């Protein structure tokens, strides 16, 4: 409905004189944004640059944002000498993709019910879902720990997937919105013809709600991949550790192994760290970049509903 | 035959569709188990002396003795002071910066999409990566910040993360960097909802940008300010991540916030005292929720009063 108009038309004005007035006075706005741009990107560019420096290059010009003598030694070191990195990486993908799949499944089912079906308690449940978002959760970490231990889901990626996928209110609203935005006549006809609700949902409604599913999956992927606190609390086995938590361990060891391995003298702790931090970031940034239009719209729509 | 006739209108008017409960069951079930149950269990735990490694203490209710212990716990009061200081460092800057950025982004005619994308980027980065990156930035000898300061002529730049005067500020900077994106987005949604008509009319009437900000933007954005403050006040005092990742409370407990203190009690020290830690969290959560609600109510209560922008808004809407 109105949600599309919330995504701003970049043209502020239709009146010509006004537009020129705005354009003339716009330069200082961009100055503000350039400052924001620098604050946002300089740390990241510095990390990228550092990851392409060797020990000597970093020691001589630690602050330069351009690696004048680029080298892949940090990445070679990372891929060959850091034992746990592939395991962490695999676990992160399992966690993030698993969360996305389960969350899309349960949220689209529920979102469909809230969009198309009539049942007692519907509005009450919807309202409770919204209200519950605002109850602070960090106090629940201790209870969550007990629960996961009780269910024998500590140190289990599967348990963590369920835990992240359980954060359903926003995904349900996004899916509900996606189903509401497609016409319901075909579905009604199919129901009258005797198709089951599940078949209608799966074969007619779901393919049309692809946009909503992509948003939900992306949000879930990023949340699960980027989390620190919950993963850190629930997982302490190396074999189940994700990259977002394990990275800290890997960095701590890299200082020593940089001095002892075959890469001795070629890299320093800082340059190796930079390469690994960037690697841990790459998947979410790729998702974010590829899906940024969907992503922004999903956030806007989700937030408007509150 | 009769049942068929009753079923016919089930797509629209039917009162109760049992299928729906089947459809919402997985999502609601997961939510109740992993999200709602811990709230209640956590509240109950706050009145027990539950130590995780002695599972039989699970339901050992001990009345108010957790709170008596807290009252006499010097570490608790010290951590509370650190928490307040951290909130004072982070919240005003986060609100101010995100508001300015949102206003600017809402007014540019070009690159707005890119700016929105850029501002939200730090939010999606893995938490640990962001803070570890700031750990490198704040590195005493090779960090970008200190090397730059030295190049600018400062002889002995601060030892950020291990100096008692700077550590909490350094963590605050990292937290602001990471936390600005979401409120900016909320402000932007509010600004886009105001639309451009009012500003066009104001510009035609010769109102300067400053006047427009004061009499249109600020009054109409009050609900968003209320929301941003509510979310900030209920999340910033609970911050654990940067301390856990970068300092662990050091140097000399100057970055030991209540969130970190209770986390260590629960998961890192001794018998894993989940009960006492929950009690600390309950006190912290309730008091910040009360403050947040007071701020929220006082701002929301004002909304219906007629600021100049509001009056104008109504008048314009009344005459189509």
């Amino acid at each position: 409905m109105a949600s599309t108009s919330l995504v701003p038309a970049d043209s502020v004005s239709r009146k010509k004189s006004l537009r020129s007035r705005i354009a003339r006075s716009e330069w200082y706005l961009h100055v503000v944004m350039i400052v924001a741009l620098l604050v946002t990107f300089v740390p990241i560019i510095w990390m990228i640059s550092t990851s392409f420096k060797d020990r000597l290059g970093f020691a001589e010009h630690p602050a330069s944002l351009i690696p004048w003598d680029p080298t892949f030694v940090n990445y070679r070191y990372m891929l060959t000498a850091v034992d746990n990195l592939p395991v962490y990486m695999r676990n992160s993908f399992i966690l993030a993709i698993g969360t996305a799949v389960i969350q899309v499944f349960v949220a689209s089912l529920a979102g469909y019910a809230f969009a198309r079906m009539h049942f007692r308690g519907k509005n009450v449940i919807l309202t409770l879902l919204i209200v519950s978002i605002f109850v602070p959760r960090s106090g629940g970490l201790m209870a969550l720990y007990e629960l996961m231990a009780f269910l024998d889901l500590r140190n289990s990626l599967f348990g963590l997937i369920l835990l992240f996928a359980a954060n359903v209110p926003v995904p349900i609203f996004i899916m509900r919105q996606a189903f509401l935005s497609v016409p319901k006549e075909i579905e009604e006809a199919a129901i009258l013809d005797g198709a089951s609700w599940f078949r209608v949902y799966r074969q007619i409604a779901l393919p049309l709600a692809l946009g909503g599913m992509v948003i939900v999956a992306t949000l879930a992927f990023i949340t699960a991949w980027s989390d620190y606190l919950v993963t850190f609390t629930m997982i302490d086995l190396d074999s189940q550790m994700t990259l977002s938590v394990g990275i800290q361990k890997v960095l701590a060891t890299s200082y020593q192994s940089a001095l002892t391995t075959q890469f001795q003298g070629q890299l320093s702790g800082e340059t190796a760290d930079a390469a690994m931090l960037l690697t841990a970031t790459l998947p979410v940034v790729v998702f974010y970049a590829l899906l940024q239009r969907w992503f922004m719209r999903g956030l806007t729509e989700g937030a408007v509903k509150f | 035959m009769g049942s068929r006739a009753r079923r016919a209108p089930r797509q629209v008017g039917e009162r109760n569709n049992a299928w729906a409960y089947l459809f919402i069951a997985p999502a609601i079930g997961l939510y109740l188990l992993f999200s709602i149950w811990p709230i209640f269990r956590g509240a109950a735990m706050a009145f027990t002396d539950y130590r995780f490694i002695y599972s039989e203490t699970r339901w050992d209710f001990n009345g108010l003795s957790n709170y008596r212990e807290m009252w006499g716990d010097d570490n608790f009061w010290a951590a509370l002071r650190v928490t307040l200081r951290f909130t004072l460092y982070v919240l005003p800057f986060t609100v101010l910066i995100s508001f300015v950025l949102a206003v600017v982004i809402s007014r540019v005619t070009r690159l707005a999409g890119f700016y929105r994308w850029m501002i939200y980027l730090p939010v999606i980065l893995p938490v640990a990566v962001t803070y570890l990156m700031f750990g490198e930035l704040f590195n005493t000898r090779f960090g970008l910040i200190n090397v730059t300061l030295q190049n600018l002529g400062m002889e002995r730049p601060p030892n950020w993360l291990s100096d008692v005067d700077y550590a909490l500020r350094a963590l605050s900077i990292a937290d602001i960097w990471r936390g600005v994106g979401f409120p900016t987005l909320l402000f932007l949604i509010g600004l886009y909802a105001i639309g451009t008509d009012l500003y066009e009319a104001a510009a035609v009437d010769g109102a300067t940008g400053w006047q427009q900000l004061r009499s249109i933007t600020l009054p109409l954005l009050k609900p968003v300010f209320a929301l941003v403050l509510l979310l900030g006040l209920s999340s910033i005092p609970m911050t654990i991540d940067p301390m856990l990742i970068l300092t662990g409370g050091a140097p000399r407990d100057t970055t030991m916030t209540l969130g970190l203190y209770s986390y260590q009690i629960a998961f890192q020290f001794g018998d894993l005292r989940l009960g006492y830690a929950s009690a600390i969290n309950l006190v912290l959560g309730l008091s910040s929720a009360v403050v947040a609600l007071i701020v929220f109510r006082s701002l929301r209560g004002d909304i219906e009063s007629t600021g100049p922008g509001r009056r104008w808004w109504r008048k314009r809407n009344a005459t189509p």
Side-chain angles (χ1 to χ4, degrees):
Chain A
M1 304 175 294
S3 53
T4 44
S5 67
L6 280 174
V7 178
D10 281 352
S11 55
V12 161
S13 158
R14 274 144 273 134
K15 289 179 186 148
K16 211 175 180 184
S17 63
L18 192 68
R19 167 173 284 180
S20 64
R21 207 182 302 172
I22 288 170
R24 227 188 303 135
S25 58
E26 204 177 290
W27 62 269
Y28 69 93
L29 299 175
H30 289 283
V31 171
V32 175
M33 290 317 296
I34 286 168
V35 174
L37 193 97
L38 288 176
V39 173
T40 308
F41 280 117
V42 164
I44 298 170
I45 293 172
W46 181 64
M47 294 305 281
I48 296 174
S49 157
T50 302
S51 77
F52 288 108
K53 290 175 189 169
D54 59 10
R55 187 186 178 80
L56 208 64
F58 183 70
E60 280 174 359
H61 304 287
S64 81
L65 295 181
I66 299 161
W68 293 111
D69 194 9
T71 162
F72 284 99
V73 65
N74 298 301
Y75 292 94
R76 270 213 321 277
Y77 160 79
M78 180 184 83
L79 292 174
T80 56
V82 185
D83 293 338
N84 281 329
L85 206 72
V87 179
Y88 295 167
M89 197 86 169
R90 186 203 65 192
N91 290 343
S92 274
F93 274 109
I94 293 175
L95 176 68
I97 293 172
T99 304
V101 168
I102 293 198
Q103 196 163 66
V104 165
F105 177 68
V106 300
S108 64
L109 269 176
Y112 186 72
F114 284 117
R116 290 286 195 259
M117 299 178 181
H118 295 269
F119 54 99
R120 214 167 293 133
K122 179 166 141 179
N123 292 329
V124 177
I125 298 173
L126 264 180
T127 314
L128 284 178
L129 277 179
I130 301 176
V131 172
S132 69
I133 293 171
F134 290 100
V135 180
R137 291 305 150 78
S138 50
L141 199 57
M142 288 91 205
L144 212 47
Y145 187 84
E146 183 198 30
L147 177 69
M148 296 295 271
F150 175 73
L151 298 173
D152 212 7
L153 289 176
R154 281 201 64 234
N155 278 317
S156 146
L157 281 174
F158 176 66
L160 217 48
I161 288 172
L162 290 182
L163 185 51
F164 285 124
N167 193 11
V168 289
V170 174
I172 286 180
F173 285 111
I174 294 173
M175 287 315 298
R176 174 172 167 266
Q177 206 57 28
F179 287 122
L180 284 176
S181 66
V182 293
K184 61 179 177 188
E185 280 71 26
I186 310 172
E187 293 165 46
E188 283 177 357
I191 291 288
L192 283 178
D193 282 352
S196 76
W197 277 101
F198 187 74
R199 239 188 99 195
V200 172
Y201 150 82
R202 198 168 56 89
Q203 294 187 342
I204 303 175
L206 212 49
L208 293 174
L210 192 68
M213 291 166 68
V214 169
I215 296 167
V216 170
T218 311
L219 285 170
F221 184 97
I222 291 174
T223 310
W225 184 284
S226 295
D227 174 77
Y228 179 79
L229 191 60
V230 175
T231 314
F232 179 72
T233 310
M234 300 304 164
I235 306 266
D236 29 52
L237 278 183
D238 249 354
S239 64
Q240 304 293 304
M241 188 85 77
T242 64
L243 196 54
S244 301
V245 173
I247 185 87
Q248 204 177 5
K249 271 190 175 175
V250 176
L251 292 200
T253 57
S254 79
Y255 286 97
Q256 290 124 39
S257 44
L259 299 171
T260 54
T261 59
Q262 44 163 329
F263 294 95
Q264 180 184 357
Q266 297 178 54
L267 46 81
S268 60
E270 286 86 353
T271 58
D273 289 358
M276 289 186 276
L277 288 174
L278 284 171
T279 309
T281 314
L282 199 61
V284 281
V285 173
V286 167
F287 257 69
Y288 183 58
L290 283 177
L291 304 174
Q292 73 96 357
R293 275 185 55 201
W294 274 322
F295 189 55
M296 296 305 289
R297 202 173 59 200
L299 283 167
T300 331
E301 275 175 9
V304 164
K305 295 293 165 297
F306 303 154
Chain B
M1 196 55 196
S3 75
R4 190 127 199 103
R6 250 191 310 122
R7 262 202 218 158
R10 70 176 169 179
Q11 77 283 12
V12 189
E14 194 178 12
R15 287 253 298 286
N16 200 22
N17 183 343
W19 273 93
Y21 299 110
L22 218 57
F23 272 55
I24 65 172
I28 301 296
L30 278 176
Y31 192 59
L32 287 177
L33 181 61
F34 289 107
S35 220
I36 300 298
W37 160 255
I39 297 175
F40 292 103
R41 175 60 181 132
M45 228 185 235
F47 297 92
T48 66
D49 190 24
Y50 180 21
R51 292 158 195 252
F52 185 72
I53 59 171
Y54 305 113
S55 58
E56 71 278 4
T57 63
R58 183 164 287 164
W59 297 101
D60 276 0
F61 286 103
N62 64 353
L64 295 178
S65 74
N66 280 340
Y67 304 90
R68 272 196 293 276
E69 179 176 348
M70 216 181 290
W71 187 258
D73 184 350
D74 291 340
N75 293 329
F76 170 80
W77 295 106
L80 180 63
R81 279 192 293 276
V82 175
T83 305
L84 290 176
R85 201 173 301 135
F86 182 72
T87 308
L88 278 178
Y89 290 157
V90 173
L91 185 64
F93 285 105
T94 304
V95 175
L96 188 71
I97 294 171
S98 55
F99 173 68
V100 169
L101 289 175
V103 168
V104 169
I105 294 175
S106 74
R107 308 219 90 193
V108 295
T109 48
R110 270 161 309 197
L111 291 174
F114 169 70
Y115 290 150
R116 281 199 304 276
W117 182 83
M118 174 194 88
I119 289 298
Y120 207 76
L121 179 66
V123 182
I124 61 112
L125 298 182
V127 177
V129 167
T130 302
Y131 292 125
L132 290 169
M133 180 180 84
F134 271 89
E136 311 266 339
L137 284 168
F138 284 122
N139 185 305
T140 313
R141 280 184 60 205
F142 296 113
L144 178 65
I145 293 172
N146 275 5
V147 172
T148 310
L149 287 176
Q150 272 166 342
N151 288 347
L152 292 174
M154 191 188 250
E155 296 261 312
R156 288 183 51 216
N159 196 347
W160 295 96
L161 289 172
S162 38
D163 184 317
V164 286
D165 292 325
Y166 288 101
L168 192 65
R169 287 171 215 203
L171 295 186
S172 308
I173 291 171
D175 204 55
I176 293 169
W177 189 85
R178 186 183 149 70
V180 153
F182 188 59
T184 307
L185 204 70
L186 294 179
F187 278 124
L188 268 175
I189 293 166
L191 286 165
Y192 290 139
I194 295 176
T196 57
D197 294 4
L198 273 170
Y199 294 102
E200 284 177 16
V204 169
D205 289 354
T208 64
W210 188 245
Q211 286 168 330
Q212 291 175 25
L213 186 74
R214 262 199 22 219
S215 54
I216 302 175
T217 312
L218 285 179
L220 288 179
L221 272 192
K222 249 185 190 164
V224 187
F225 271 103
L227 181 64
V228 167
L229 285 173
L230 176 79
L231 293 176
L233 279 170
S234 54
S235 69
I236 293 169
M238 308 271 190
T239 310
I240 302 177
D241 298 284
M243 296 85 188
L244 200 56
I245 293 168
L246 284 179
T247 63
R252 281 200 274 138
D253 286 353
T254 49
T255 61
M256 180 69 77
T257 55
L258 270 180
L260 181 64
Y261 182 54
S262 72
Y263 189 89
Q264 293 190 337
I265 288 175
F267 301 116
Q268 295 178 332
F269 292 161
D271 320 335
L272 308 187
R273 298 186 61 192
L274 299 187
Y276 186 49
S278 296
I280 294 176
N281 266 334
L282 188 69
V283 168
L284 176 62
L286 281 183
S287 40
S288 55
V290 167
V291 175
L293 279 178
I294 290 172
V295 172
F296 187 74
R297 284 291 292 275
S298 61
L299 273 174
R300 281 269 170 158
D302 257 25
I303 290 162
E304 281 314 305
S305 77
T306 48
R310 190 79 201 178
R311 230 180 291 133
W312 192 2
W313 178 237
R314 286 202 182 127
K315 213 159 60 186
R316 282 185 65 83
N317 277 1
T319 52

